[in-house]
Amino acid sequence: MKVTVLGSGTCVPSLKRASPSYLIETGRHKYLVDCGSGTLIQLLRAGHDYRDIDGVFITHAHSDHISDLMPLIHALVAAPGVRRKKPLLIVAPHKAITFYQECLLFLIRKPKGFVIETLIPKEKIMVEENMLYSIKTIHSDDSVAYRFESSSGSVVFTGDADYSDALVDFSRGVDILIADCSFPDEMKAQGHMTPRECGILAKKAGVRTLVLSHIYPVGVSDDILLRQCSSVFKGMILIAHDLMEITP
Ligand SMILES: [Zn+2]
Ligand SMILES: [Zn+2]
């Protein structure tokens, strides 16, 4: 398993951090977790082909997490010479599915030659030979975290989420925890975590590698985020940056 950070940022435009998106590669398959604006460009920068994406897992229907879903489908439908055969799986909360269906109806031709399968996140879904788990998070009315498990490792994406004991249980023993670390400790915002809260989550859950991501451009250095987090969590901590590759 390999995870590539395509976007470690937020809804705020930034030349350093694109909007949220991550690529999971496992065996022959490639999946996106979230698809914020710039995801398709970031995929190109990371040396991947958008046509190879097998599925997209959306954490919630905030625009920084879903904006490039339409361009992805549009490209698969309209790019000259593209004849996609394999289905595209979209796992997303109800609002995001509705958004996608309305956009598809009004903005994009219905795909020919391939099927788009839509699924609402459930506690447990089999995706090819892998397991995808989800849990409701404290953020918006439809926000979820995902846990992806393959034979070569496991990873949790909190999506946008505040700290909760349920998230600790959900992340228990995972190899890689990619956590919402929107603001430093002194700027705590409801519905998001601080470096210290990410550290507590990782420590209680006993994760191997903690990756701080979804970082707002508020002029705080990576060193400060790292210091605040490592005061609690003594394991491996990475500050996400765009195009970073992480293996279990
Ligand atoms: Zn967000
Ligand atoms: Zn959000």
Side-chain angles (χ1 to χ4, degrees):
M1 174 196 280
K2 185 167 84 178
V3 175
T4 303
V5 178
L6 298 174
S8 57
T10 63
C11 59
V12 180
S14 160
L15 293 174
K16 187 178 170 192
R17 299 183 185 282
S19 289
S21 185
Y22 308 90
L23 174 72
I24 309 173
E25 293 173 80
T26 172
R28 294 171 294 114
H29 299 287
K30 294 186 183 184
Y31 306 99
L32 292 175
V33 176
D34 281 332
C35 199
S37 79
T39 297
L40 293 191
I41 296 291
Q42 293 295 81
L43 260 181
L44 284 179
R45 290 197 174 114
H48 295 278
D49 190 323
Y50 68 93
R51 293 172 294 187
D52 294 337
I53 298 299
D54 296 283
V56 186
F57 314 141
I58 299 290
T59 59
H60 64 300
H62 281 165
S63 63
D64 53 328
H65 297 255
I66 58 172
S67 307
D68 252 15
L69 194 52
M70 286 308 105
L72 172 63
I73 295 168
H74 200 158
L76 291 173
V77 168
V82 174
R83 294 282 177 270
R84 187 183 177 98
K85 294 267 190 297
K86 63 180 177 181
L88 178 71
L89 172 66
I90 299 176
V91 181
H94 187 261
K95 254 197 228 169
I97 295 278
T98 305
F99 164 80
Y100 140 76
Q101 283 168 336
E102 288 184 359
C103 288
L104 199 71
L105 262 180
F106 292 109
L107 299 179
I108 306 174
R109 284 185 286 130
K110 199 169 171 15
K112 286 193 183 112
F114 72 99
V115 176
I116 297 179
E117 297 169 349
T118 54
L119 278 178
I120 305 287
K122 296 196 189 87
E123 210 173 300
K124 192 173 172 183
I125 300 169
M126 190 92 184
V127 178
E128 309 293 347
E129 62 279 12
N130 313 293
M131 293 306 303
L132 180 71
Y133 300 85
S134 67
I135 187 181
K136 177 75 185 74
T137 59
I138 301 170
H139 179 69
S140 62
D141 58 4
D142 63 346
S143 56
V144 296
Y146 288 113
R147 179 172 180 138
F148 189 85
E149 290 195 355
S150 75
S151 57
S152 55
S154 56
V155 54
V156 164
F157 302 87
T158 67
D160 288 8
D162 211 326
Y163 177 87
S164 70
D165 289 337
L167 206 47
V168 172
D169 289 338
F170 187 71
S171 308
R172 188 84 60 199
V174 78
D175 294 320
I176 304 164
L177 170 62
I178 300 187
D180 171 356
C181 185
S182 287
F183 301 102
D185 290 348
E186 61 278 15
M187 294 176 68
K188 167 68 183 173
Q190 297 303 317
H192 297 285
M193 286 183 284
T194 64
R196 182 179 164 77
E197 289 173 320
C198 292
I200 294 170
L201 171 61
K203 182 183 176 182
K204 285 191 173 176
V207 310
R208 282 251 299 275
T209 301
L210 168 63
V211 183
L212 305 182
S213 194
H214 197 271
I215 298 168
Y216 274 82
V218 291
V220 173
S221 71
D222 289 0
D223 282 351
I224 289 175
L225 299 178
L226 198 58
R227 211 177 309 143
Q228 293 181 343
C229 186
S230 63
S231 68
V232 185
F233 180 61
K234 303 303 177 193
M236 168 80 85
I237 305 167
L238 302 173
I239 308 290
H241 60 79
D242 291 7
L243 308 187
M244 169 190 266
E245 295 180 349
I246 310 153
T247 49

PDB file of all heavy atoms in Angstrom, residues 10-11 20 60 62 64-65 139 160 192 214 216, ligand 1:
ATOM      1  N   THR A  10      -6.679  23.228   2.483  1.00  0.00           N
ATOM      2  CA  THR A  10      -8.055  23.465   2.927  1.00  0.00           C
ATOM      3  C   THR A  10      -8.842  24.172   1.826  1.00  0.00           C
ATOM      4  O   THR A  10      -8.475  24.104   0.655  1.00  0.00           O
ATOM      5  CB  THR A  10      -8.017  24.362   4.185  1.00  0.00           C
ATOM      6  OG1 THR A  10      -7.453  25.630   3.813  1.00  0.00           O
ATOM      7  CG2 THR A  10      -7.165  23.741   5.281  1.00  0.00           C
ATOM      8  N   CYS A  11      -9.879  24.902   2.240  1.00  0.00           N
ATOM      9  CA  CYS A  11     -10.660  25.686   1.276  1.00  0.00           C
ATOM     10  C   CYS A  11      -9.947  26.985   0.901  1.00  0.00           C
ATOM     11  O   CYS A  11     -10.328  27.649  -0.058  1.00  0.00           O
ATOM     12  CB  CYS A  11     -12.038  26.001   1.861  1.00  0.00           C
ATOM     13  SG  CYS A  11     -11.938  26.917   3.413  1.00  0.00           S
ATOM     14  N   PRO A  20      -7.944  19.325  -0.135  1.00  0.00           N
ATOM     15  CA  PRO A  20      -7.742  17.942   0.306  1.00  0.00           C
ATOM     16  C   PRO A  20      -7.962  16.879  -0.765  1.00  0.00           C
ATOM     17  O   PRO A  20      -8.990  16.874  -1.448  1.00  0.00           O
ATOM     18  CB  PRO A  20      -8.785  17.766   1.413  1.00  0.00           C
ATOM     19  CG  PRO A  20      -9.078  19.139   1.883  1.00  0.00           C
ATOM     20  CD  PRO A  20      -8.921  20.030   0.705  1.00  0.00           C
ATOM     21  N   HIS A  60     -17.061  14.320   3.079  1.00  0.00           N
ATOM     22  CA  HIS A  60     -18.243  15.151   3.333  1.00  0.00           C
ATOM     23  C   HIS A  60     -18.393  16.167   2.219  1.00  0.00           C
ATOM     24  O   HIS A  60     -17.480  16.391   1.424  1.00  0.00           O
ATOM     25  CB  HIS A  60     -18.180  15.833   4.705  1.00  0.00           C
ATOM     26  CG  HIS A  60     -17.057  16.813   4.878  1.00  0.00           C
ATOM     27  ND1 HIS A  60     -15.736  16.464   4.759  1.00  0.00           N
ATOM     28  CD2 HIS A  60     -17.064  18.133   5.176  1.00  0.00           C
ATOM     29  CE1 HIS A  60     -14.978  17.525   4.983  1.00  0.00           C
ATOM     30  NE2 HIS A  60     -15.764  18.543   5.223  1.00  0.00           N
ATOM     31  N   HIS A  62     -18.363  19.355   1.785  1.00  0.00           N
ATOM     32  CA  HIS A  62     -17.832  20.719   1.743  1.00  0.00           C
ATOM     33  C   HIS A  62     -17.007  20.850   0.469  1.00  0.00           C
ATOM     34  O   HIS A  62     -16.315  19.915   0.061  1.00  0.00           O
ATOM     35  CB  HIS A  62     -16.984  21.019   2.990  1.00  0.00           C
ATOM     36  CG  HIS A  62     -17.826  21.341   4.200  1.00  0.00           C
ATOM     37  ND1 HIS A  62     -17.332  21.358   5.483  1.00  0.00           N
ATOM     38  CD2 HIS A  62     -19.148  21.654   4.292  1.00  0.00           C
ATOM     39  CE1 HIS A  62     -18.316  21.681   6.322  1.00  0.00           C
ATOM     40  NE2 HIS A  62     -19.422  21.855   5.629  1.00  0.00           N
ATOM     41  N   ASP A  64     -14.299  22.105  -0.531  1.00  0.00           N
ATOM     42  CA  ASP A  64     -12.865  21.818  -0.637  1.00  0.00           C
ATOM     43  C   ASP A  64     -12.583  20.317  -0.718  1.00  0.00           C
ATOM     44  O   ASP A  64     -11.452  19.915  -0.994  1.00  0.00           O
ATOM     45  CB  ASP A  64     -12.056  22.459   0.511  1.00  0.00           C
ATOM     46  CG  ASP A  64     -12.571  22.132   1.906  1.00  0.00           C
ATOM     47  OD1 ASP A  64     -13.787  21.965   2.068  1.00  0.00           O
ATOM     48  OD2 ASP A  64     -11.747  22.048   2.841  1.00  0.00           O
ATOM     49  N   HIS A  65     -13.616  19.496  -0.509  1.00  0.00           N
ATOM     50  CA  HIS A  65     -13.418  18.036  -0.547  1.00  0.00           C
ATOM     51  C   HIS A  65     -14.060  17.372  -1.765  1.00  0.00           C
ATOM     52  O   HIS A  65     -13.847  16.183  -2.002  1.00  0.00           O
ATOM     53  CB  HIS A  65     -13.964  17.403   0.739  1.00  0.00           C
ATOM     54  CG  HIS A  65     -13.226  17.864   1.970  1.00  0.00           C
ATOM     55  ND1 HIS A  65     -12.312  17.077   2.636  1.00  0.00           N
ATOM     56  CD2 HIS A  65     -13.232  19.065   2.612  1.00  0.00           C
ATOM     57  CE1 HIS A  65     -11.800  17.755   3.651  1.00  0.00           C
ATOM     58  NE2 HIS A  65     -12.336  18.968   3.656  1.00  0.00           N
ATOM     59  N   HIS A 139     -18.232  17.208  12.733  1.00  0.00           N
ATOM     60  CA  HIS A 139     -17.801  18.291  11.842  1.00  0.00           C
ATOM     61  C   HIS A 139     -19.016  18.915  11.170  1.00  0.00           C
ATOM     62  O   HIS A 139     -19.426  20.006  11.513  1.00  0.00           O
ATOM     63  CB  HIS A 139     -16.797  17.773  10.813  1.00  0.00           C
ATOM     64  CG  HIS A 139     -16.351  18.837   9.858  1.00  0.00           C
ATOM     65  ND1 HIS A 139     -15.568  19.905  10.228  1.00  0.00           N
ATOM     66  CD2 HIS A 139     -16.608  19.019   8.528  1.00  0.00           C
ATOM     67  CE1 HIS A 139     -15.360  20.690   9.184  1.00  0.00           C
ATOM     68  NE2 HIS A 139     -15.986  20.181   8.144  1.00  0.00           N
ATOM     69  N   ASP A 160     -12.497  16.030   7.763  1.00  0.00           N
ATOM     70  CA  ASP A 160     -12.581  17.134   8.708  1.00  0.00           C
ATOM     71  C   ASP A 160     -13.281  16.586   9.950  1.00  0.00           C
ATOM     72  O   ASP A 160     -14.380  16.034   9.843  1.00  0.00           O
ATOM     73  CB  ASP A 160     -13.395  18.290   8.118  1.00  0.00           C
ATOM     74  CG  ASP A 160     -12.642  19.016   7.013  1.00  0.00           C
ATOM     75  OD1 ASP A 160     -11.575  18.517   6.621  1.00  0.00           O
ATOM     76  OD2 ASP A 160     -13.130  20.056   6.549  1.00  0.00           O
ATOM     77  N   HIS A 192     -12.778  20.824  14.159  1.00  0.00           N
ATOM     78  CA  HIS A 192     -11.438  20.490  13.653  1.00  0.00           C
ATOM     79  C   HIS A 192     -10.548  20.148  14.853  1.00  0.00           C
ATOM     80  O   HIS A 192     -10.877  20.484  15.985  1.00  0.00           O
ATOM     81  CB  HIS A 192     -10.823  21.663  12.892  1.00  0.00           C
ATOM     82  CG  HIS A 192     -11.572  22.059  11.648  1.00  0.00           C
ATOM     83  ND1 HIS A 192     -11.526  21.323  10.482  1.00  0.00           N
ATOM     84  CD2 HIS A 192     -12.387  23.111  11.404  1.00  0.00           C
ATOM     85  CE1 HIS A 192     -12.275  21.920   9.565  1.00  0.00           C
ATOM     86  NE2 HIS A 192     -12.819  23.002  10.086  1.00  0.00           N
ATOM     87  N   HIS A 214      -4.608  18.866   6.261  1.00  0.00           N
ATOM     88  CA  HIS A 214      -5.706  19.850   6.239  1.00  0.00           C
ATOM     89  C   HIS A 214      -5.275  21.069   7.061  1.00  0.00           C
ATOM     90  O   HIS A 214      -5.942  21.496   8.010  1.00  0.00           O
ATOM     91  CB  HIS A 214      -6.990  19.223   6.801  1.00  0.00           C
ATOM     92  CG  HIS A 214      -8.245  19.992   6.448  1.00  0.00           C
ATOM     93  ND1 HIS A 214      -8.739  21.005   7.233  1.00  0.00           N
ATOM     94  CD2 HIS A 214      -9.094  19.890   5.406  1.00  0.00           C
ATOM     95  CE1 HIS A 214      -9.850  21.487   6.698  1.00  0.00           C
ATOM     96  NE2 HIS A 214     -10.083  20.827   5.575  1.00  0.00           N
ATOM     97  N   TYR A 216      -4.436  24.915   7.624  1.00  0.00           N
ATOM     98  CA  TYR A 216      -4.784  26.262   7.157  1.00  0.00           C
ATOM     99  C   TYR A 216      -3.541  27.154   7.105  1.00  0.00           C
ATOM    100  O   TYR A 216      -2.664  27.049   7.969  1.00  0.00           O
ATOM    101  CB  TYR A 216      -5.808  26.907   8.099  1.00  0.00           C
ATOM    102  CG  TYR A 216      -7.242  26.563   7.771  1.00  0.00           C
ATOM    103  CD1 TYR A 216      -7.807  25.369   8.194  1.00  0.00           C
ATOM    104  CD2 TYR A 216      -8.043  27.434   7.012  1.00  0.00           C
ATOM    105  CE1 TYR A 216      -9.123  25.043   7.890  1.00  0.00           C
ATOM    106  CE2 TYR A 216      -9.354  27.116   6.702  1.00  0.00           C
ATOM    107  CZ  TYR A 216      -9.891  25.919   7.147  1.00  0.00           C
ATOM    108  OH  TYR A 216     -11.187  25.608   6.833  1.00  0.00           O
TER     109      TYR A 216
HETATM  110 ZN    ZN B   1     -12.073  20.850   4.743  1.00  0.00          ZN
END
